[in-house]
């Protein structure tokens, strides 16, 4: 058995009025280190105990401001700066839309943070021991009594005197509280495997029950009128149209949005005559042309357009694009081949937009020039 | 503890005479400027009379609402202040007098009174069964009659209790409070929609009546706080009032400041987000020219500054700081109403000159006079109220 130290002398009272008077008397007697324990919050005790105003409000203020600025900063950074998104035609930094979230985050950080601050800073949470714990006194004040405990550390403390003083206030069960020195220093109990296991089991059970209740038991479709709307399936039948088909053919002459119909189908000569390359051979265009040529043309035509590609021998090889014939073709004629296809080569109209085709043609021209350079090019 | 054991330490004291003199002087000056202003520019004066009618009704009717609220909620702490709210609610009688200039100029203030325009305009034609001059005047009369009726019920019972000390009178008032509160909700909505919103009859906002109510209750509370603190300083109220009582007033002011901001921002954000032309033009009008400054200033005057003034616990307990906050909130309520009404008079920029001063001076004088005359014959504390002892013992 270790030696025990006197912590405090305690007394119990029956009502909140009595404890109020007792506190006033204790303050008058000049005791500084004492505490009052009541089964419920008693209004006005803090003023009677002459406690200074709580500092917790400042923590709440700072935490709230931190939450507000963090929320605003994160929204600004994520959808105004890092990955700008236009939502509902509003500016990137749509402040009014950010306010509700800022408000919520402010309240969340302030309230949760204040509770945690209180637990860790004021109640010294990892340490869950207190000399008053597991005493008859604590059992009483957490049930129906109002207790006062004058601690031995008080400069005016003298065991006999304090006892007489409490008795003179009509306190019941005036007694001493002892504690072991190492008892309060023991802050590891919170990390004991038993306690951790209990926390984990509780967390699993609570989250499991919550998940089951919200997602399985009480699950309801949220408003689903966009999911459930009436629509025509392409292959379906309907009585709405005379021909009972849901899929409609576009009216004659209809053109898809953004599409330009090709006007020289099966007319390579007029294409050669009429079509003019709208692009200039600048760095940007040639880069685009090279990219598209390497992607779509080079598998057969080879990177240098000579025709000895990596697929050589698997099907009839395309001729070299450096032949006299192709070099003398106008741009429009090559455009026609890309658009319509020729011999084994299929149409590349789906893969290449018109301006990409023109860029590819410019790149081919550059390749041809490189293979058949003129004397003047050296200057 | 029975009624007879409770000895009340209250001696009726009159308000000092200078209060009446100040009231008389302000009213006289105000009346003169109003008359000159009306002769010089009747339309502008009509707009101002509209602002101040809404202001007076705010204070009067919401004070009556506070009385009813105290009865129906069984509130204890506010019993010591109830007489002040009762006196303040008397100003609903001067509101129709303030309203005379705009009632005479309905045609210049409200576009829906132009029958020719309404007939041509599909939107206004749909609203014509509600927005027409006859029905407008009927509603005007009916809501005032209702307020006066409930005023007489509450005040008569409350004052009778001073003499008879009959607890039944409290119960009767509780029943009438239950009837009054929904009626109040409808009537204050009618007031807000008829006088303030219908200046721009094509505007849609379902929250506007609540917006007017939030600002109005704030004004009534601020007036109550200001007068309560002032009278307590002069020792006219009962001894034994603690900072707990004033803290409660401050907490309510703080709460309703936040409520106003919540409602105002809800209105703005929904309109801003939906971006519908029939809603946005109201705010766009208020960002034209120099109105922009007043619109931004609104957020500070009505929310940020009172919020900071009332945030901490000591500021709600310190009567001096409460007084500053109360005066500020009263001024900002006038600012709010000015901001709602005046952009329709002067579309492109702020219009502020001596015409705008006239009515506030007159109304301030009249409120002081009404308050003074009401306080002369009646106890400043409801001495017969069964809750008074508990009210005095109220602690946080």
């Amino acid at each position: 058995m270790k030696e025990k130290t006197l912590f405090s002398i305690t007394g119990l009272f029956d009502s909140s009025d009595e404890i109020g008077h007792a506190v006033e008397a204790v303050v008058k007697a000049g005791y500084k280190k004492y505490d009052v324990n009541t089964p419920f919050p008693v209004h006005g005790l803090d003023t009677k105990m002459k406690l200074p105003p709580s500092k917790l409000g400042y923590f709440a203020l700072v935490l709230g401001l931190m939450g507000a600025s963090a929320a605003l900063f994160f929204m600004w950074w994520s959808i105004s700066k890092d990955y700008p998104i236009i939502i509902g035609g509003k500016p990137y930094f749509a402040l009014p839309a950010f306010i509700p979230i800022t408000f919520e985050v402010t309240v969340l950080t302030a309230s949760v943070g204040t509770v945690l601050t209180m637990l860790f800073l004021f109640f010294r949470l990892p340490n869950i021991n207190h000399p008053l714990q597991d005493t008859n006194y604590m059992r009483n004040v957490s049930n129906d009594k109002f207790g006062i405990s004058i601690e031995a550390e008080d400069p005016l403390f003298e065991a006999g005197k304090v006892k007489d003083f409490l008795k003179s206030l009509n306190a019941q069960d005036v007694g001493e509280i002892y504690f072991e020195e190492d008892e309060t220093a023991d802050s590891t109990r919170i990390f004991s495997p038993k306690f951790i296991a209990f926390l984990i089991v509780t967390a699993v059970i609570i989250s499991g029950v919550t998940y089951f209740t919200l997602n399985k038991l009480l699950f309801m479709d949220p408003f689903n009128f966009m999911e459930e709307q009436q629509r025509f399936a392409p292959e379906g039948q309907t009585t709405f149209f005379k021909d009972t088909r849901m899929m409609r053919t576009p009216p004659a002459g209809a053109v898809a949005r953004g599409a330009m119909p090709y006007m020289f189908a099966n007319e390579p000569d007029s294409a050669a005559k009429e079509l003019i390359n709208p692009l200039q051979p600048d760095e940007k265009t040639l880069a685009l042309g090279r990219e598209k040529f390497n992607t779509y043309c080079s598998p057969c035509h080879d990177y240098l357009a000579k025709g000895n590609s990596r697929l050589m021998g698997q099907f009839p090889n395309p001729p070299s694009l450096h032949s006299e014939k192709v070099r003398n073709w106008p741009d429009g004629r090559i455009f026609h081949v890309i658009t319509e296809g020729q011999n084994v080569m299929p149409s590349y109209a789906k893969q290449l937009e018109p301006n990409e085709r023109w860029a590819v043609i410019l790149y081919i021209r550059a390749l041809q020039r490189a293979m058949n350079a003129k004397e003047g090019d050296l200057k | 503890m029975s009624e007879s054991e409770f000895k009340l330490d209250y001696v009726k004291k009159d308000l000092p005479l200078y209060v009446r003199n100040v009231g008389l002087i302000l009213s006289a000056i105000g009346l003169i400027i109003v008359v000159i202003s009306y002769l010089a520019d009747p339309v502008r004066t009509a707009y101002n009379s509209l602002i101040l009618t809404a202001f007076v009704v705010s204070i009067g009717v919401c004070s009556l609402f506070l009385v009813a609220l105290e009865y129906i909620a069984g509130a204890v702490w506010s019993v010591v202040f109830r007489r002040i709210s009762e006196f303040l609610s008397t100003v609903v009688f001067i509101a129709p007098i303030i309203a005379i200039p705009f009632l005479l100029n309905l045609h210049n203030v409200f576009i829906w009174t132009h029958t020719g325009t309404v007939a041509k305009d599909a939107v206004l034609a749909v609203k014509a069964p509600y927005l027409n001059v006859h029905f407008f005047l009927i509603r005007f009369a009916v809501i005032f009659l209702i307020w006066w009726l409930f005023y007489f019920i509450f005040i008569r019972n409350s004052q009778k209790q001073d003499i008879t000390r009959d607890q039944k009178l409290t119960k009767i008032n509780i029943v009438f409070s239950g009837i009054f509160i929904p009626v109040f909700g409808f009537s204050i909505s009618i007031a807000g929609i008829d006088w303030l919103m219908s200046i721009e009859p094509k505007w849609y906002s379902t929250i506007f009546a609540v917006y007017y109510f939030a600002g109005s209750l704030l004004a009534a509370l601020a007036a109550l706080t200001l007068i309560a603190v002032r009278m307590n300083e002069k020792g006219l109220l009962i001894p034994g009032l603690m900072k707990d009582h004033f803290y409660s007033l401050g907490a309510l002011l703080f709460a309703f400041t936040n409520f106003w901001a919540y409602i105002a921002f809800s209105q703005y954000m929904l309109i801003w987000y939906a971006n519908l032309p029939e809603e946005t033009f109201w705010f766009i009008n208020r960002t034209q020219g120099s109105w922009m400054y007043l619109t931004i200033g609104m957020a500070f005057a009505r929310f940020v500054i009172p919020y900071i003034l009332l945030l901490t616990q000591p500021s709600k307990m310190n009567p001096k700081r409460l007084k500053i906050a109360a005066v500020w909130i009263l001024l900002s309520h006038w600012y709010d109403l000015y901001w709602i009404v005046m952009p329709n008079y002067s579309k492109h920029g702020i219009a502020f000159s001596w015409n705008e001063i006239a009515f506030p001076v007159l109304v301030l004088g009249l409120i002081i006079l009404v308050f003074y005359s009401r306080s002369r014959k009646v106890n400043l504390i409801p001495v017969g109220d069964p809750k008074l002892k508990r009210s005095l013992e109220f602690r946080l």
Side-chain angles (χ1 to χ4, degrees):
Chain A
M1 199 73 189
K2 279 168 190 157
E3 200 176 320
K4 290 194 167 187
T5 327
L6 180 66
F7 173 71
S8 70
I9 291 184
T10 59
L12 294 173
F13 296 88
D14 273 332
S15 69
S16 53
D17 281 347
E18 283 177 41
I19 193 81
H21 294 307
V23 165
E24 279 168 336
V26 169
V27 171
K28 216 173 168 188
Y31 292 107
K32 295 272 186 280
K33 298 223 80 171
Y34 65 95
D35 207 354
V36 180
N37 304 88
T38 57
F40 54 80
V42 176
H43 290 291
L45 262 190
D46 49 346
T47 46
K48 278 177 185 149
M49 289 170 77
K50 304 215 157 76
L51 293 178
S54 169
K55 298 271 181 297
L56 208 51
Y58 295 102
F59 284 101
L61 179 70
V62 170
L63 286 164
L65 289 176
M66 272 165 57
S69 41
L72 265 181
F73 171 78
F74 188 67
M75 280 183 285
W76 165 78
W77 179 77
S78 60
I79 67 174
S80 312
K81 181 94 205 320
D82 189 50
Y83 196 91
I85 302 174
I86 294 176
I87 298 168
K90 302 299 180 214
Y92 290 130
F93 188 73
L95 186 62
F98 294 171
I99 294 286
I101 293 156
T102 310
F103 169 72
E104 300 293 345
V105 176
T106 307
V107 172
L108 186 75
T109 48
S111 51
V112 174
T114 308
V115 169
L116 290 179
T117 310
M118 189 174 76
L119 288 178
F120 282 93
L121 240 59
F122 291 78
F123 298 165
R124 291 154 218 257
L125 185 62
N127 185 355
I128 51 172
N129 288 305
H130 192 274
L132 289 179
Q133 210 131 347
D134 291 335
T135 57
N136 255 334
Y137 169 78
M138 194 42 82
R139 235 159 261 139
N140 277 319
V141 296
S142 53
N143 185 17
D144 63 344
K145 297 282 188 199
F146 301 76
I148 193 160
S149 138
I150 299 176
E151 290 167 22
E153 284 178 19
D154 194 284
L156 295 177
F157 187 87
E158 274 172 59
K161 256 186 168 175
V162 172
K163 269 187 195 170
D164 290 343
F165 173 67
L166 283 178
K167 273 177 191 156
S168 74
L169 296 172
N170 291 327
Q172 312 150 12
D173 296 341
V174 176
E176 293 142 345
I177 304 279
Y178 291 95
F179 74 111
E180 290 164 19
E181 279 292 350
D182 56 345
E183 189 185 322
T184 47
D186 174 23
S187 63
T188 51
R189 251 166 74 179
I190 200 165
F191 299 115
S192 68
K194 237 177 166 179
F195 184 68
I196 300 287
F198 171 75
L199 277 187
I200 291 172
V201 169
T202 316
V204 167
I205 290 176
I206 288 180
S207 45
V209 167
T210 314
Y211 176 82
F212 179 74
T213 318
L214 295 181
N215 290 305
K216 304 287 166 202
L217 209 60
L218 299 176
F219 180 76
M220 273 183 281
D221 259 341
F223 54 92
N224 56 356
F225 27 77
M226 283 182 85
E227 250 171 74
E228 300 288 315
Q229 58 193 325
Q230 284 193 320
R231 59 179 182 268
F232 284 163
E235 314 273 308
Q237 264 197 337
T238 177
T239 50
F240 187 78
F241 295 112
K242 258 186 192 158
D243 60 2
T244 71
R245 286 170 164 188
M246 281 181 175
M247 187 147 81
R248 311 308 303 161
T249 41
V255 175
R257 185 175 295 223
M260 274 295 286
Y262 186 60
M263 293 157 77
F264 303 106
N266 300 323
E267 290 172 38
D269 294 332
S270 13
K273 218 184 283 170
E274 307 267 333
L275 283 172
I276 294 162
N277 195 337
L279 300 181
Q280 293 298 315
D282 54 19
E283 199 184 333
K284 215 172 145 191
T285 328
L286 285 174
L288 176 71
R290 183 174 59 198
E291 188 198 330
K292 295 293 166 188
F293 182 88
N294 289 347
T295 307
Y296 294 109
C297 313
S298 75
C300 300
H301 284 284
D302 159 33
Y303 287 113
L304 298 173
K306 280 181 179 169
N308 52 347
S309 73
R310 51 192 184 279
L311 295 178
M312 196 153 83
Q314 299 192 19
F315 46 85
N317 272 4
S320 165
L321 296 183
H322 300 290
S323 64
E324 192 74 23
K325 184 179 92 177
V326 180
R327 268 192 287 150
N328 289 336
W329 266 0
D331 286 0
R333 185 67 179 79
I334 306 181
F335 188 87
H336 181 82
V337 172
I338 301 175
T339 310
E340 293 260 283
Q342 184 178 304
N343 302 333
V344 189
M345 174 175 164
S347 160
Y348 276 81
K350 288 258 159 54
Q351 286 91 333
L352 295 167
E353 299 281 316
N355 70 319
E356 290 168 350
R357 279 171 241 163
W358 290 119
V360 165
I361 291 164
L362 285 177
Y363 182 66
I364 294 171
R365 290 287 184 230
L367 288 176
Q368 288 171 342
R369 191 73 176 273
M371 287 286 159
N372 296 283
K374 289 170 194 158
E375 214 168 309
D377 292 347
L378 288 170
K379 286 178 184 174
Chain B
M1 204 174 279
S2 77
E3 191 73 8
S4 56
E5 283 175 50
F6 171 48
K7 282 272 183 296
L8 193 63
D9 174 26
Y10 173 71
V11 188
K12 159 95 171 107
K13 285 180 205 147
D14 279 331
L15 260 59
L17 207 61
Y18 76 81
V19 174
R20 188 196 65 181
N21 296 342
V22 168
L24 275 176
I25 292 167
L26 285 178
S27 311
I29 296 172
L31 190 64
I32 292 167
I33 322 176
V34 164
V35 170
I36 298 171
S37 167
Y38 190 78
L39 293 175
D41 192 345
V43 178
R44 189 169 188 167
T45 314
Y47 274 104
N48 276 301
S49 108
L50 189 56
I51 298 174
L52 267 295
T53 308
F55 187 87
V56 169
V57 165
S58 287
I59 291 186
V61 184
C62 286
S63 292
L64 201 59
F65 173 71
L66 285 174
V67 172
L69 201 60
E70 182 198 304
Y71 276 115
I72 200 155
V76 166
W77 66 273
S78 61
V79 172
V80 284
F81 298 134
R82 197 181 71 223
R83 273 290 140 79
I84 300 171
S85 283
E86 286 177 13
F87 295 163
L88 277 174
S89 63
T90 315
V91 301
V92 288
F93 289 92
I94 61 170
I97 305 169
I98 308 291
I100 289 171
F102 94 77
L103 290 178
L104 292 177
N105 288 285
L106 279 184
H107 201 68
N108 294 319
V109 178
F110 298 111
I111 187 132
W112 47 262
T113 55
H114 300 232
T115 41
T117 317
V118 172
K120 273 184 235 155
D121 194 312
V123 177
L124 292 184
V126 171
K127 295 184 174 191
Y130 184 84
L131 286 180
N132 59 66
V133 177
H134 290 292
F135 193 29
F136 177 86
L137 292 175
I138 292 170
R139 287 194 304 270
F140 187 89
V142 166
I143 57 177
F144 271 104
L145 285 176
I146 290 172
W147 292 335
W148 292 345
L149 173 73
F150 280 97
Y151 170 84
F152 281 119
I153 293 170
F154 289 135
I155 298 327
R156 202 186 69 103
N157 286 338
S158 172
Q159 290 182 7
K160 213 162 114 190
Q161 206 173 36
D162 275 13
I163 303 151
T164 62
R165 320 229 154 187
D166 187 358
Q167 296 196 14
K168 255 191 211 152
L169 292 168
T170 301
K171 284 203 170 144
I172 296 171
N173 268 0
I174 289 173
V175 171
F176 278 104
S177 303
I179 304 167
F180 174 68
I181 282 173
V183 172
F184 164 80
F186 280 110
S187 54
I188 196 102
S189 304
I190 289 175
I193 291 168
D194 275 15
W195 308 339
L196 301 174
M197 201 174 158
S198 81
I199 311 172
E200 274 166 290
K202 288 187 184 178
W203 183 48
Y204 291 82
S205 168
T206 45
I207 208 172
F208 186 79
V210 186
Y211 178 86
Y212 176 59
F213 161 74
S216 298
L217 195 61
L218 202 47
L221 274 169
L224 166 62
T225 309
L226 177 63
I227 295 172
V229 172
R230 193 91 187 102
M231 281 169 77
N232 191 47
E233 277 172 359
K234 296 274 162 194
L236 297 169
L237 290 175
I238 196 160
L241 286 185
M242 303 292 283
K243 60 180 193 290
D244 310 60
H245 294 95
F246 294 101
Y247 175 84
S248 304
L249 284 174
L252 269 181
L253 278 177
F254 185 63
F256 274 91
T257 297
N258 285 301
F259 179 65
W260 179 89
Y262 181 79
I263 297 299
F265 183 71
S266 300
Q267 172 172 286
Y268 173 73
M269 195 193 76
L270 288 186
I271 289 175
W272 172 84
Y273 221 127
N275 209 7
L276 300 173
E278 66 264 36
E279 294 174 352
T280 47
F281 78 90
W282 196 82
F283 279 104
I284 290 170
N285 286 352
R286 275 150 190 78
T287 52
Q288 298 295 308
S290 46
W291 286 115
M292 189 67 196
Y293 303 117
L294 280 199
T295 306
I296 295 168
M298 227 12 223
F300 287 91
R302 273 226 102 165
F303 176 60
V304 178
I305 292 171
Y307 184 87
I308 294 169
L309 279 177
L310 291 166
L311 180 63
T312 61
Q313 198 185 35
S315 67
K316 291 180 207 111
M317 288 184 168
N318 183 345
K320 281 208 182 95
R321 285 166 76 173
L322 269 186
K323 237 177 2 184
I324 295 170
V327 171
W328 181 270
I329 288 170
L330 280 172
L331 286 175
S332 71
H333 185 51
W334 177 82
Y335 176 7
D336 189 1
L337 295 170
Y338 175 85
W339 176 79
I340 290 170
V341 171
M342 283 313 260
N344 300 290
Y345 172 75
S346 152
K347 290 240 186 302
H348 303 292
I350 301 167
F352 189 85
S353 72
W354 61 275
N355 305 65
E356 275 65 48
I357 303 293
F359 264 107
V361 172
L362 173 67
V363 162
L364 185 62
L366 284 178
I367 290 177
I368 292 174
L369 271 188
V370 166
F371 192 89
Y372 177 80
S373 62
R374 282 280 286 116
S375 70
R376 282 187 57 194
K377 289 179 195 130
V378 188
N379 288 323
L380 303 181
I381 294 286
V383 290
D385 195 291
K387 290 186 291 185
L388 183 57
K389 180 178 174 292
R390 278 166 64 211
S391 178
L392 279 169
E393 286 168 356
F394 168 76
R395 297 292 175 268
L396 284 170

